[in-house]
Amino acid sequence: MMKEELFKKICQWRRHLHTIPEIGFQEKKTSAYLYDELIKMGYDPVFVTETGIIVFLDFGCRQTLAFRSDIDALKITEQTGADFCSQHDGYMHACGHDGHMAALLALAYRLKDVKTLKNNILLIFQPGEEISNGARSIIDTGIFEKYHVKGIFGLHMFPDLEEGKIGCRKGPLMAQSGELDVVIHGKSAHAGKYQEGIDTIVIASQLITQYQSIVSRMTSPMQPAVIHIGKIQGGTVRNIVAEKTAFHGTVRTYDEKLFNRIVAAMKGYHQGMEKAYGCQIDFSCQTFNPPVINDKGLYLQMVSLLKDDFEELEEPVMLAEDFSHYQKVIPGVFFFIGTKCSEYHSGLHTPTFQFHEKVLLKAVDLYYQLACSIELGEE
């Protein structure tokens, strides 16, 4: 197949998908388009979790290798000025999922006439990555057991990496994430008689400061962690003691045990504040994604296929990805495709995020090499 022909199709797929962004588990137009394109290739795609799609390529092997693309978008108003910009007002593929889908469609296109491989292949078009339930919903369908899936690969556009570079590392690549929600209930009073109230703004301020000491004094400097408070709301007017204050943030680590220790320390601080001030603190820190931990064996096989375009990352990143849920049940590798260039350098989840489609050819080439050469472990 001529590379020019494939590149034309990739651009066509990516740009159409970019015009119809939809949020998690509402990707009706997106999944319908994917389904139609796969049918045109001669496949028999199957809907799972309503908007998800899988395609099983049976080569008569005992084991199966999976490739996954996420398909959902974000509630962001696009500002790229592209002639194929979002036609859904207030929604945008600001995280590159349109490119991920185009790459997986291109892999399907390259494999459609292949007669034999070392493993069966399962293509997964997954909904709901941004809301953290998508991967778990796919796992719950039982397809990994049904198709004897023993390994999985996935990718992400990455504007911190030079255009066309493939970045990865064995072991930890991305962080475990948890969403932190705290509501402090106190007692209202006039500011001139503050001693009659319970000031939840003061309590919130102390808690947020104490949280930072968890990172600086209660965790090893060799174990990176982030506790970030991004939103706080409290009080009604300037001369009234705030009866209620709420704040929200995120906790991120590369180690699940460390994450649990951080949450336990927070609970200890809350108990102390409740006793000291007589307030009530409602707290939750729900874990959404475990850390992305790349399988060493699959990673080394992948690296052996790469040459000058590969960059081994010295450090993991504090971003999170629900691909990690797959890695809890089967070996997997997640890698980055660099998009940074002089023309496009906006970050992920920004209204100006954009990339050149030529980087997707690198992704498809690697996917195809992986499909042809990966040796899965024995059952």
Side-chain angles (χ1 to χ4, degrees):
M1 180 200 311
M2 295 293 291
K3 185 166 287 189
E4 293 80 6
E5 175 191 350
L6 183 61
F7 182 60
K8 182 178 179 180
K9 287 184 175 294
I10 286 173
C11 292
Q12 175 185 327
W13 290 325
R14 184 260 167 154
R15 295 184 181 199
H16 182 86
L17 288 162
H18 190 86
T19 67
I20 54 170
E22 299 163 295
I23 59 173
F25 296 103
Q26 298 180 29
E27 310 98 332
K28 301 293 187 182
K29 290 182 180 179
T30 301
S31 61
Y33 179 79
L34 294 169
Y35 185 88
D36 289 344
E37 292 302 309
L38 291 163
I39 288 289
K40 290 176 186 177
M41 296 180 203
Y43 290 113
D44 185 20
V46 176
F47 284 105
V48 292
T49 65
E50 295 188 13
T51 54
I53 292 175
I54 61 170
V55 177
F56 181 61
L57 287 69
D58 188 353
F59 293 103
C61 304
R62 291 186 300 110
Q63 300 183 118
T64 298
L65 179 65
F67 295 86
R68 168 269 204 171
S69 168
D70 33 21
I71 70 172
D72 56 327
L74 292 157
K75 286 187 176 180
I76 290 177
T77 299
E78 183 165 355
Q79 298 176 18
T80 63
D83 56 8
F84 54 91
C85 67
S86 169
Q87 300 302 303
H88 294 174
D89 189 38
Y91 298 87
M92 177 190 173
H93 272 298
C95 200
H97 296 189
D98 50 340
H100 305 168
M101 288 184 279
L104 200 56
L105 283 173
L107 176 63
Y109 192 83
R110 288 193 65 174
L111 292 175
K112 67 185 179 69
D113 297 319
V114 172
K115 302 301 182 185
T116 181
L117 283 178
K118 293 182 177 181
N119 305 291
N120 304 319
I121 301 295
L122 183 68
L123 309 180
I124 303 171
F125 294 88
Q126 176 211 303
E129 187 275 329
E130 298 291 355
I131 58 177
S132 300
N133 293 321
R136 285 180 291 188
S137 73
I138 292 291
I139 293 168
D140 290 343
T141 65
I143 60 171
F144 286 0
E145 295 81 7
K146 178 179 179 180
Y147 297 112
H148 307 288
V149 179
K150 300 301 178 183
I152 188 168
F153 285 87
L155 62 81
H156 207 294
M157 305 289 103
F158 200 57
D160 293 346
L161 193 63
E162 291 299 322
E163 185 177 71
K165 287 283 187 180
I166 293 170
C168 195
R169 69 193 307 272
K170 63 178 178 290
L173 177 71
M174 302 178 76
Q176 176 174 2
S177 66
E179 291 196 356
L180 170 69
D181 297 294
V182 178
V183 181
I184 305 167
H185 304 275
K187 182 180 178 183
S188 181
H190 193 282
K193 302 179 72 176
Y194 58 83
Q195 72 277 9
E196 297 179 0
I198 300 174
D199 193 338
T200 60
I201 288 179
V202 169
I203 297 168
S205 301
Q206 292 183 40
L207 277 178
I208 292 169
T209 301
Q210 288 175 331
Y211 286 174
Q212 301 312 310
S213 71
I214 297 174
V215 174
S216 65
R217 288 296 179 266
M218 297 174 67
T219 66
S220 167
M222 305 307 293
Q223 289 184 297
V226 169
I227 302 174
H228 173 74
I229 307 304
K231 181 180 180 181
I232 185 168
Q233 296 169 302
T236 53
V237 294
R238 70 179 70 237
N239 63 342
I240 298 294
V241 173
E243 182 177 15
K244 178 181 176 181
T245 297
F247 59 88
H248 312 275
T250 184
V251 177
R252 302 198 172 201
T253 73
Y254 302 122
D255 183 281
E256 293 183 78
K257 290 182 180 179
L258 174 58
F259 185 94
N260 293 334
R261 290 204 303 271
I262 289 171
V263 172
M266 289 178 170
K267 289 179 179 179
Y269 283 139
H270 299 163
Q271 292 170 1
M273 286 293 183
E274 287 177 328
K275 290 180 181 179
Y277 287 97
C279 63
Q280 176 188 330
I281 300 175
D282 299 331
F283 168 74
S284 68
C285 189
Q286 182 178 357
T287 300
F288 282 113
N289 296 317
V292 173
I293 309 291
N294 283 333
D295 179 77
K296 180 180 179 180
L298 292 180
Y299 170 82
L300 292 175
Q301 289 188 65
M302 183 185 80
V303 171
S304 71
L305 302 172
L306 296 166
K307 297 181 181 178
D308 295 340
D309 291 334
F310 178 64
E311 181 173 323
E312 185 167 19
L313 304 179
E314 294 184 4
E315 298 178 345
V317 298
M318 275 293 176
L319 305 176
E321 235 289 344
D322 81 346
F323 185 87
S324 56
H325 290 282
Y326 298 125
Q327 294 172 313
K328 296 285 285 185
V329 295
I330 57 172
V333 168
F334 197 69
F335 60 91
F336 298 134
I337 300 292
T339 65
K340 183 170 68 175
C341 62
S342 59
E343 185 176 2
Y344 301 137
H345 42 76
S346 293
L348 299 172
H349 290 214
T350 65
T352 53
F353 175 70
Q354 182 60 285
F355 60 89
H356 290 123
E357 284 107 346
K358 64 182 180 181
V359 302
L360 297 176
L361 286 172
K362 298 282 184 69
V364 178
D365 283 343
L366 179 54
Y367 267 176
Y368 184 76
Q369 291 182 72
L370 293 168
C372 293
S373 62
I374 284 293
E375 298 280 356
L376 295 173
E378 293 296 322
E379 292 185 279

